[in-house]
Amino acid sequence: MNTTTTHSRDEAAFDPVLGVSLYREMVRIRMIEEEIAARYGEEKMRCPVHLSIGQEAVPAGISAALRKTDQVVSTHRCHAHYLAKGGDLKAMLAEMMGREAGCCAGRGGSMHLFDRDAGMLLSLPIVAASIPVGVGAAMAMKQRGEDNVAVIYLGDASVEEGVFHESANFAAVRKLPAIFVCENNLYSVYTPLRDRQPDRPISELGRAHGLHTVEVDGNDALGVYRAATELVAHARSGAGACFMLADTYRWREHCGPNFDNTLGYRTVAEFEDWKGRDPIESLILRLEGKGALDAAERQAMANEITAEITEAFAFAEAAPFPSIATAADNLYAL
Amino acid sequence: MPSERIITAAQAIREALGEALRDRPETYLMGEGVADPGGIFGTTKGLIEEFGPDRVVEMPVAENGLTGIAIGSALMGQRPIMTHQRVDFALLCLEQLFNTAAKSHYVTGGKHRVPLTVRMIIGRGWGQGPQHSQSLETLFAYIPGLKVVMPSTPYEFKGMMHAAIADDNPVMVLEHRWLHYVNGHVPEGPYLSPLDGPKVVKSGDRATVVASSYMVLEALRAATALEHVGCSIEVIDLRVLRPLDMTPILASIRKTGRLVVCDTGWKQFGIGAEIVANVVEQAFDALKLPPARVGLPDHPTPSSLPLAEVYYPDSTDIVKHIGRLCGLSPDAVDKACTEVLAVRQGVPIDKPDPAFKGPF
Ligand SMILES: Cc1ncc(C[n+]2csc(CCOP(=O)(O)OP(=O)(O)O)c2C)c(N)n1
């Protein structure tokens, strides 16, 4: 039987230590993404960038429930997933700057964050392309008798692709340790969900495929974490594949460093409403309510993160470009 | 008389689509972004306001299914015009295109028609990397039953778009993204630029360059620089990859005896290989020297700028091949290459070439 679990903000069960670590993860992602946006005009990062500002709670909550040996797969919007999974910030920035030290040796760019050691098997820029690959990772885990899980991040548009359904069906029928995490930010580029899908919860698709399915507030990192913990335990135990629907919102333009509310495809009122549900600000309020993290502590944390970011940018900018003699290397495994 | 009016290729496409929607009630546009504020790099911008959501169909991100849906409607007499912002995304549609669209007319003894136009945009630049900048025209050109065209000037974009829409076959239109920016003389109102094969776009007698799509501009720039060092070459715009008409190419080879082919795809197994094979089969006696191919090296598109710089061939590669084939002095080759590079104004290779503003 598939159950629906709605995770309310249960303040009694709220663990401040966990809250602080989720806060730090989200702020770190936000600060890194904002720095990328601020420096994008310097044209050192010469590739398209898809920022996750506003959507930090999902990767923060999910990764807190995972082990290092669990794998995630991601999409074009992959920075936050990579960072939260313990990815290497220096390797990510170097990749965006086309340097040999990048996690794909500068060959891929921002949409290609492949780092198996960090537990991010890959990210792919073709919508839904990474979904079956994540299911394949889960199948390998099962075949090899490992008790790891595979998390498959997907956008709301990717459930429109046939391959989502093929993959969900297979993961369900084979009870694979796969967890589909759908970040519904309401838009595919400029096209609203209502123009692309009928008016039904996306989570119904998970249920129809026989996946253990939950809906969460995608801007509530603690709620995401609690739901993820339960899904991960379910998948890890061999009970079967899962689906999480997390509603959230992208603040900046689909691709690039700017805001694009002037284009008119979404209203300023809608944007402001979602900004009012900032996953970071709302967690601050709750932490303050518990006396867990005061402004001075937050500032100290921010200083630490700034130092990390400054160092990582300096590293990436100083890192050498690939030698052109290596352009054709690695076409085949030897 | 060429039209006085100068517009970009993106505007020319938009105009063709608007005219087709106005004149033929059975046409409709479909694609991710056709109705959005970007309007497929401006090529469908504003059409939603004029024709509404039944004729300008914003689609879910479901390329494979929607291709079959377009084909089904075409079999019933509609004329769908489907657009993919990258050729790479159209890879999801291959089964429907190759099996259903390409074969329906043949297997029904000519009873079924699939008047489908599929626009696919070839990306280039800004480190978009291995999965957003593939030039996959040969995949489509391999399939009997598909027509495959690659316009190179705004005039051709508009005229060939009209011809593709009017055609009763599935026509794949591959648009190089950087050509959208190019200016050219474009008449107002609908006109057809027939899908009838290659065209000589500059005549000459020392060598023949057969180029497609964006490489036509590189070939013309090479031709101008070579002209300045006293070497007159013929440039042929391939235009229509399938059905392939070798007649103008063979005629040119019989005149020049020297051949360079250049296209936007990988050199191995590319368009150039097909052209060269046909020339060798049909005009071996006319060739003075082995033909040369200019194409992409044998690996995926790297994101990193220095790697992209050595990945994309340009006019200088054409000049060097011509220099060798025509026995030009090293000085002449250097001079022509210098001229070519000067026009580029040092703009990095990952940004559109400022010299290709036109009008073409
Ligand atoms: C197969 C395919 N079709 C189209 C695209 C172009 N594209 C890139 S991202 C995107 C929107 C995806 O929306 P969603 O999955 O909701 O993710 P979001 O960008 O909102 O995070 C589209 C259509 C693509 N990359 N791949």
Side-chain angles (χ1 to χ4, degrees):
Chain A
M1 257 306 285
N2 302 313
T3 49
T4 309
T5 325
T6 310
H7 291 262
S8 60
R9 294 182 173 185
D10 182 359
E11 294 300 326
F14 170 20
D15 167 7
V17 177
L18 174 70
V20 169
S21 79
L22 290 174
Y23 170 82
R24 190 180 197 286
E25 193 59 69
M26 289 196 290
V27 167
R28 179 168 174 266
I29 294 169
R30 170 92 40 106
M31 289 174 67
I32 291 167
E33 294 280 67
E34 282 180 344
E35 194 61 18
I36 290 169
R39 297 196 190 208
Y40 197 63
E42 294 171 5
E43 304 204 333
K44 286 183 186 142
M45 292 171 273
R46 303 180 81 89
C47 59
V49 288
H50 302 79
L51 304 179
S52 288
I53 297 171
Q55 304 188 196
E56 299 89 349
V58 179
I62 295 285
S63 278
L66 295 178
R67 300 177 184 160
K68 189 164 194 265
T69 50
D70 294 327
Q71 294 285 335
V72 308
V73 298
S74 176
T75 66
H76 54 286
R77 199 173 307 287
C78 52
H79 311 170
H81 302 150
Y82 181 59
L83 293 169
K85 188 61 181 64
D88 178 351
L89 174 60
K90 289 179 178 169
M92 180 177 108
L93 295 175
E95 187 59 34
M96 292 178 187
M97 294 189 206
R99 312 301 164 115
E100 187 68 37
C103 53
C104 281
R107 270 65 173 177
S110 75
M111 299 187 280
H112 290 73
L113 302 179
F114 294 38
D115 188 343
R116 200 184 151 169
D117 295 337
M120 179 132 144
L121 190 57
L122 48 70
S123 64
L124 296 175
I126 301 296
V127 168
S130 56
I131 297 175
V133 180
V135 172
M139 184 155 89
M141 289 161 178
K142 188 169 177 184
Q143 287 170 330
R144 297 163 74 90
E146 302 163 3
D147 70 343
N148 294 324
V149 301
V151 166
I152 299 153
Y153 285 109
L154 47 130
D156 46 283
S158 57
V159 304
E160 292 153 25
E161 295 280 14
V163 73
F164 162 73
H165 300 275
E166 299 173 28
S167 306
N169 177 67
F170 186 77
V173 75
R174 291 279 169 156
K175 290 198 180 320
L176 299 181
I179 301 160
F180 298 81
V181 176
C182 179
E183 289 174 90
N184 175 18
N185 64 11
L186 297 173
Y187 291 89
S188 167
V189 192
Y190 306 128
T191 309
L193 187 60
R194 64 174 176 277
D195 288 352
R196 299 180 282 117
Q197 296 180 32
D199 185 16
R200 52 96 182 88
I202 291 175
S203 46
E204 292 303 322
L205 297 175
R207 292 202 180 87
H209 281 297
L211 302 172
H212 173 54
T213 297
V214 301
E215 291 96 1
V216 298
D217 172 355
N219 280 12
D220 172 9
L222 276 159
V224 172
Y225 168 76
R226 283 195 201 109
T229 306
E230 194 257 320
L231 296 189
V232 168
H234 184 94
R236 217 187 282 292
S237 73
C242 308
F243 185 94
M244 175 191 286
L245 174 64
D247 292 333
T248 182
Y249 202 73
R250 143 174 77 73
W251 289 9
R252 305 235 176 179
E253 59 191 338
H254 165 72
C255 177
N258 302 310
F259 292 92
D260 66 355
N261 296 324
T262 50
L263 285 177
Y265 71 97
R266 56 187 194 183
T267 63
V268 173
E270 180 187 272
F271 171 79
E272 291 299 342
D273 180 49
W274 278 96
K275 259 195 106 170
R277 291 188 248 167
D278 181 348
I280 295 179
E281 287 301 321
S282 60
L283 188 54
I284 290 176
L285 288 180
R286 295 168 73 187
L287 287 168
E288 282 180 342
K290 292 250 168 189
L293 190 69
D294 63 23
E297 287 167 317
R298 291 202 299 277
Q299 189 54 54
M301 211 181 254
N303 294 347
E304 224 175 84
I305 295 168
T306 303
E308 185 202 358
I309 294 174
T310 308
E311 193 202 331
F313 268 95
F315 167 86
E317 284 170 10
F321 283 106
S323 141
I324 58 173
T326 65
D329 286 2
N330 297 311
L331 192 58
Y332 298 104
L334 299 177
Chain B
M1 258 294 283
S3 164
E4 293 283 304
R5 194 174 63 125
I6 294 174
I7 59 174
T8 65
Q11 290 167 321
I13 296 167
R14 188 189 168 286
E15 217 167 73
L17 297 175
E19 287 160 359
L21 288 170
R22 227 161 279 138
D23 297 348
R24 295 174 177 272
E26 70 277 21
T27 55
Y28 67 92
L29 306 187
M30 181 150 81
E32 293 152 21
V34 287
D36 79 19
I40 319 279
F41 311 116
T43 62
T44 65
K45 210 173 171 124
L47 295 174
I48 178 75
E49 277 83 43
E50 187 175 349
F51 299 101
D54 289 338
R55 306 282 309 284
V56 180
V57 183
E58 186 59 58
M59 64 179 241
V61 186
E63 294 84 0
N64 183 25
L66 271 292
T67 302
I69 289 167
I71 294 169
S73 75
L75 288 172
M76 298 298 289
Q78 297 299 94
R79 285 186 185 270
I81 304 158
M82 193 166 188
T83 304
H84 301 284
Q85 304 215 11
R86 290 290 184 292
V87 189
D88 317 63
F89 310 159
L91 288 175
L92 277 77
C93 320
L94 296 192
E95 194 284 321
Q96 286 291 345
L97 289 174
F98 290 7
N99 280 332
T100 317
K103 296 177 178 50
S104 291
H105 188 258
Y106 180 80
V107 301
T108 58
K111 289 201 259 312
H112 272 11
R113 278 158 200 258
V114 184
L116 163 71
T117 301
V118 184
R119 298 177 51 208
M120 293 175 272
I121 294 161
I122 300 164
R124 176 168 168 179
W126 201 247
Q128 54 191 296
Q131 303 189 10
H132 274 59
S133 50
Q134 297 176 85
S135 194
L136 297 172
E137 55 280 3
T138 35
L139 283 188
F140 303 94
Y142 185 62
I143 304 299
L146 297 182
K147 290 193 177 182
V148 183
V149 307
M150 298 183 91
S152 66
T153 64
Y155 177 88
E156 293 276 48
F157 267 102
K158 181 168 173 187
M160 289 172 81
M161 196 64 69
H162 270 301
I165 295 165
D167 203 288
D168 276 347
N169 296 284
V171 184
M172 311 293 110
V173 183
L174 286 108
E175 303 172 9
H176 196 284
R177 174 73 183 98
W178 284 7
L179 288 176
H180 284 166
Y181 301 115
V182 165
N183 291 292
H185 297 278
V186 179
E188 308 203 25
Y191 61 92
L192 294 180
S193 192
L195 310 184
D196 58 358
K199 245 190 213 164
V200 174
V201 289
K202 184 204 163 287
S203 52
D205 52 16
R206 297 284 297 277
T208 302
V209 176
V210 178
S212 55
S213 184
Y214 182 74
M215 292 310 278
V216 173
L217 303 194
E218 295 281 6
L220 287 171
R221 174 157 69 186
T224 306
L226 285 163
E227 202 78 40
H228 295 157
V229 296
C231 178
S232 159
I233 62 166
E234 188 141 294
V235 178
I236 298 182
D237 179 353
L238 190 57
R239 295 178 73 250
V240 182
L241 279 57
R242 176 180 270 282
L244 180 60
D245 177 13
M246 284 298 294
T247 319
I249 298 171
L250 294 170
S252 180
I253 296 299
R254 295 207 178 282
K255 180 167 72 172
T256 66
R258 298 178 180 89
L259 172 64
V260 177
V261 290
C262 49
D263 59 76
T264 50
W266 284 296
K267 181 173 143 181
Q268 275 202 57
F269 300 97
I271 298 294
E274 184 62 28
I275 304 288
V276 168
N278 276 280
V279 168
V280 168
E281 272 179 345
Q282 298 171 61
F284 187 66
D285 54 312
L287 284 173
K288 297 186 177 120
L289 283 166
R293 285 185 283 162
V294 174
L296 299 174
D298 199 26
H299 59 83
T301 318
S303 174
S304 180
L305 177 59
L307 298 184
E309 272 166 357
V310 291
Y311 183 70
Y312 286 105
D314 63 17
S315 324
T316 60
D317 298 284
I318 301 170
V319 166
K320 286 174 197 158
H321 279 297
I322 297 287
R324 186 174 51 77
L325 291 179
C326 296
L328 302 186
S329 71
D331 268 5
V333 171
D334 271 0
K335 208 170 157 234
C337 285
T338 309
E339 177 179 333
V340 156
L341 292 173
V343 215
R344 244 207 96 86
Q345 300 168 12
V347 166
I349 187 108
D350 59 353
K351 291 190 177 177
D353 193 322
F356 290 157
K357 277 215 181 69
F360 288 97

